[in-house]
Amino acid sequence: MIRFGLRLAVSGGREALVRLAITAGAVAIGVGLLLTTLAAINGVHAQNARNAWLNTPFAKQQVPANREVAGSSGGGGTANAPGSAAGAASSGVDPMWWATRRDTVQGKEIGRVDVALTGPRAALSPGVPRMPGPGEYYLSPELARMVDEMPPAQLGDRFPGHRIGILGDAALPTPDSLLAVVGRSPQEMAELSGATLVDKVATTRPDKCADCVVGIKSDGVDLILTVVSGGLVFPVLILIGTATRLNAARREQRFAAMRLVGATPRQVSVVSAVEAAVAAAAGVALGFLPFLAVRGPVAGMALTGSRFFTSDISLTPLQIAAVALGVPLAAAVAARIALRRVQISPLGVTRRVTPKPPRAWRVIPLVAGLVELVGFLIWHPGTVPGQIKGYLSSFLLIAIGLVLSGPWLTMTGAGLIARRTQRPATLIAVRRLADNPTAGFRAVSGLVLALLVMTATLGVITTMTDERDHPHGGPQFTNVLVNELSQGYRDDYKPVSTGRPAPPELIERLHAVPGVRNVLLAHPADRSVEVQAADGLATTRQVVACAELEPLRIYGHCVPGAQSAYVPSLWWGGQDQHTSEWPAAPFTAEQLATTGVLNVVVETDGSTAAVEQTRTMVDAAYPADRQAMTLGEAWNLAGAELRGYQQLANVVILATFPIAGCSLAVSVAGGLSERKRPFSLLRLTGVSLGTLRRVVAMESVVPLLVMAAVAIGVGLLAADLFLRSQLKYSLHALGVGYYLAVIAGLTAALAIIGATMPLLRRITGPETARNE
């Protein structure tokens, strides 16, 4: 029977070859999209893994240290430093000092690694032939280009010494990464608060490392996989399933005839499975072509906010095997399930017996998913993995429930329309939908699922954006640079460190930079004080000189006659508080000049030259874990995660609609082919071609509009329940862009339906009825 099934699939005449080609082509599109989705997920993991070495000082692999500094490869010495190399090289590797820091240039973040060797056998970081010594450094290709193009005072002077090479791809998370590996002496590393003695370079992926700070944590990766899987994989699987069911009614009739002449149910099942598997296997083989074609463009997309290396957009052998075997197997199983009417009663197929109508129980999974979300309002999982599992199960239930309940809802909607219409085309369409609502809903299921994903995703993202939007202080927002030197605050609001007094020559040099307007220094205070900030009371333990504060109106002003004042964090400069009046502090300007510095604030005219030259000077004088950045850059950094979610939402939305459109086109075209005989008989009885076109349109439009309304309503409700239970937000109104996207999607769906109408004239002629 296997050989017979192969003959039917490839030697059954023109009709069989056309059916095989169409099915294989549709499956190829779906498989190509599925392979691209899996490769993109692998790319996210690979990109994240490339950040591993930057987490070297945080990955719990530091060498036990005392307060002595061992000599570097260029010489020895002692100094007050954060640790020692004594006894560290137990494995034959000389330890080295390591500090991972962050800098900024032109609004782009720079990753900077400062190292100091204690011997010639230091561990090797990725992308370099040897570790740099004092006065040597490596730059990434993009950072090297910027250093070469910009004046040294604006960027190059941040890297003392000379460049000895370019970092290789193995060291770069993305092709556009700005990275520097700078060699220093152990004595110089004593000035860096985050310097740590290490004897190996971290290789653990950030999502597998509890203490890593660079890269995406496990909950972030799981979120990406959850959204991408739900938003892309399900529509792709629907497309593949739709493609494998092309001409299902015609096959049912052929297999029913086989049953009537003596074939057993098992023999029919084997033939059906072979025929479906052959088409699916051909589609899988062809599906690698679109994947290879779009691999490069996908790598160039900033799916996570940054581009990928093309080599990272790849598939594992297990994934290739799973798709190559799973899709044909799934097609064979689907063909077996589709022939259950043939196996039970071949006469029911030949006589076109109406299938059993769907029952109301189909809405149970949909309701269960919503009830689970309601339950999270009462009891909320306490851990991130528990939350991800809980919400994932809820949204999976909702998606599956929407697909399961679609036929019943379509039948219900068609029944309501039938009671209120007298038009012949509408009556014929709704009668056919009531007769087989499953087929009517199947055509629009992909688009309905896309609407659900888009509505829920945009509902969550829009609300989060509105709730977390940061107010800013007008033009000065991008003109004010702030450097943080405190390394955080303790529970009593006392800074962890107070820094050192500002050298007078630094202030003079800053004022001499063209475009610099004012310089403000924040110093540690003698006690904690409550002050009234723009967003309520704030506890502070820092003080500024009034002579420096007054020119920076964005930060408010002192009470009359005061020489110094208590102020809250200078990072809130984004909230314009020019009307705030701060309480006086008992310090003179002379006393503050000899006090340590917590923040260096510089107001510029906003020009690139002034901002970058000032940043270079401040960073050289006060090296910090987080170098100076403007208030605008700080706001952008704070919103980076949210923008990543927004980018992910855009990717899902832009991808699901074309996938759903392909499913719709395949379903409508396949449905027309399956209905050649009834439509040709209707034309023989005098029904006009225009009426038949309206029938076809109504058969697609009714389930489309009914289920679109349900999908949008369910998506908004699910988004609101998620926001209330997880983030304590209420759903905000969606913007005009969402409604335009919905209208555009539905219009495109109607256009796809209209594009199949020319087929109706060719397949409903008198010769079709005669041949049948």
Side-chain angles (χ1 to χ4, degrees), residues 49 67 113 140 177 193 237 345 384 408 438 511 527 569 607 686 723:
R67 301 300 299 176
V113 174
S140 65
S177 294
S193 59
L237 294 179
S345 174
V384 171
W408 182 79
T438 302
H511 280 292
R527 59 190 177 91
S569 170
S607 64
L723 290 167

Side-chain angles (χ1 to χ4, degrees), residues 200-235:
K200 61 181 179 179
V201 177
T203 58
T204 305
R205 271 177 20 194
D207 57 307
K208 304 296 183 182
C209 172
D211 300 302
C212 294
V213 299
V214 182
I216 307 174
K217 302 296 286 183
S218 60
D219 53 338
V221 170
D222 288 342
L223 176 63
I224 289 175
L225 296 181
T226 300
V227 174
V228 171
S229 297
L232 293 179
V233 174
F234 272 101

Side-chain angles (χ1 to χ4, degrees), residues 460-470 642 732-734:
V460 172
I461 294 297
T462 299
T463 301
M464 290 175 64
T465 302
D466 292 345
E467 291 283 350
R468 298 180 182 180
D469 190 24
H470 296 262
L642 191 59
H732 288 211
L734 298 180

Side-chain angles (χ1 to χ4, degrees), residues 31 143-144 148 162 251 314 321 330 363 417 467 469 509 518 574 641 654 662 665 667 746 751 762 771:
V31 168
L143 183 57
D148 293 340
H162 62 282
R251 290 201 302 270
S314 59
V363 301
I417 295 175
E467 291 283 350
D469 190 24
R509 290 174 57 206
N518 300 289
E641 181 181 16
L654 292 176
C662 292
S667 296
L746 294 178
R762 292 207 306 267
N771 291 336

Side-chain angles (χ1 to χ4, degrees), residues 419-623:
R419 299 190 189 101
R420 292 170 173 79
T421 185
Q422 299 297 325
R423 296 178 179 273
T426 305
L427 285 172
I428 295 174
V430 296
R431 178 64 183 87
R432 290 179 56 83
L433 284 174
D435 179 71
N436 191 2
T438 302
F441 170 74
R442 188 184 299 122
V444 300
S445 57
L447 189 60
V448 168
L449 196 57
L451 280 173
L452 172 70
V453 172
M454 182 186 76
T455 302
T457 302
L458 284 185
V460 172
I461 294 297
T462 299
T463 301
M464 290 175 64
T465 302
D466 292 345
E467 291 283 350
R468 298 180 182 180
D469 190 24
H470 296 262
H472 56 81
Q476 288 181 302
F477 188 54
T478 57
N479 299 353
V480 178
L481 279 152
V482 182
N483 194 3
E484 179 64 63
L485 305 173
S486 66
Q487 301 176 47
Y489 293 81
R490 298 199 295 254
D491 292 340
D492 60 354
Y493 300 99
K494 187 174 182 179
V496 174
S497 66
T498 58
R500 54 185 173 80
E505 61 272 16
L506 172 64
I507 308 302
E508 295 175 2
R509 290 174 57 206
L510 287 173
H511 280 292
V513 174
V516 171
R517 296 172 177 172
N518 300 289
V519 178
L520 171 66
L521 304 178
H523 308 273
D526 57 334
R527 59 190 177 91
S528 299
V529 177
E530 280 195 346
V531 296
Q532 182 65 46
D535 54 354
L537 287 176
T539 302
T540 183
R541 200 161 183 169
Q542 60 183 21
V543 64
V544 298
C546 292
E548 299 174 355
L549 177 65
E550 292 298 331
L552 272 76
R553 302 303 299 176
I554 189 175
Y555 284 112
H557 59 277
C558 302
V559 296
Q563 294 192 51
S564 61
Y566 295 103
V567 297
S569 170
L570 297 180
W571 289 107
W572 48 247
Q575 300 172 335
D576 196 342
Q577 304 199 58
H578 63 280
T579 60
S580 300
E581 186 174 82
W582 308 118
F587 300 99
T588 64
E590 291 74 18
Q591 290 174 319
L592 292 180
T594 60
T595 306
V597 175
L598 298 179
N599 298 107
V600 179
V601 181
V602 182
E603 182 188 14
T604 71
D605 60 2
S607 64
T608 299
V611 169
E612 298 305 335
Q613 187 172 347
T614 299
R615 195 192 325 258
T616 300
M617 293 173 61
V618 172
D619 292 350
Y622 287 99

